[in-house]
Amino acid sequence: MAKRNYLQTHRTTRAVWIKRLSVMAGVAAGLAFLWSLIVGEMGVVKYYRMSAHARILRSEIEHMKKDNARLSREVDALRTDPAYIERMARDKIGLARPGEVVYYYGDSAK
């Protein structure tokens, strides 16, 4: 009968367990990294939310630029165009020339 080397068997068992634990630790670290990548502070979910918010802000900026251009044209017309000034006075304020009669139909606020 051959003699068994129990010390050698113990070392190989220990090496197997150390290898298993290191693999499990690596898998756990990988899962933690993946979770952080997807849901973390600067993860993919946050990236898509921020890109959607940026898209909304860009459209608002574009709308405000158009509104600003329209208001600039209106200010320029109010400074230089007497016909535009007269039309605004008649429409917005309700002014009339002497002898004219102004008729209102319905609510002017609509």
Side-chain angles (χ1 to χ4, degrees), residues 24 31 40 43 52-53 57 65 70 76 79 90 103 109:
M24 283 192 261
L31 288 175
H53 186 66
L57 290 177
K65 282 182 180 179
R70 181 188 57 80
D76 188 44
R79 287 184 180 156
R90 288 175 178 268
Y103 293 100

Side-chain angles (χ1 to χ4, degrees), residues 48-110:
Y48 283 116
R49 283 184 190 154
M50 289 174 70
S51 65
H53 186 66
R55 203 171 25 254
I56 290 168
L57 290 177
R58 279 190 213 104
S59 69
E60 286 180 10
I61 288 171
E62 198 61 38
H63 177 70
M64 287 182 181
K65 282 182 180 179
K66 289 178 184 176
D67 197 34
N68 191 16
R70 181 188 57 80
L71 289 173
S72 294
R73 286 191 305 270
E74 188 175 332
V75 166
D76 188 44
L78 285 170
R79 287 184 180 156
T80 59
D81 190 8
Y84 186 77
I85 294 171
E86 181 180 350
R87 185 174 36 167
M88 293 306 277
R90 288 175 178 268
D91 292 344
K92 303 269 181 171
I93 303 173
L95 295 179
R97 290 187 175 159
E100 286 183 340
V101 178
V102 178
Y103 293 100
Y104 292 106
Y105 296 103
D107 190 14
S108 62
K110 289 183 182 178

Side-chain angles (χ1 to χ4, degrees), residues 22-40:
S22 63
V23 168
M24 283 192 261
V27 167
L31 288 175
F33 175 73
L34 188 63
W35 178 263
S36 172
L37 184 68
I38 294 173
V39 184

Side-chain angles (χ1 to χ4, degrees), residues 5-57:
N5 190 351
Y6 289 107
L7 191 58
Q8 184 67 28
T9 308
H10 181 67
R11 283 186 188 155
T12 56
T13 306
R14 179 187 288 178
V16 168
W17 277 104
I18 289 174
K19 192 174 185 179
R20 284 182 187 170
L21 286 175
S22 63
V23 168
M24 283 192 261
V27 167
L31 288 175
F33 175 73
L34 188 63
W35 178 263
S36 172
L37 184 68
I38 294 173
V39 184
E41 184 177 336
M42 294 302 289
V44 175
V45 174
K46 177 115 181 197
Y47 170 77
Y48 283 116
R49 283 184 190 154
M50 289 174 70
S51 65
H53 186 66
R55 203 171 25 254
I56 290 168
L57 290 177

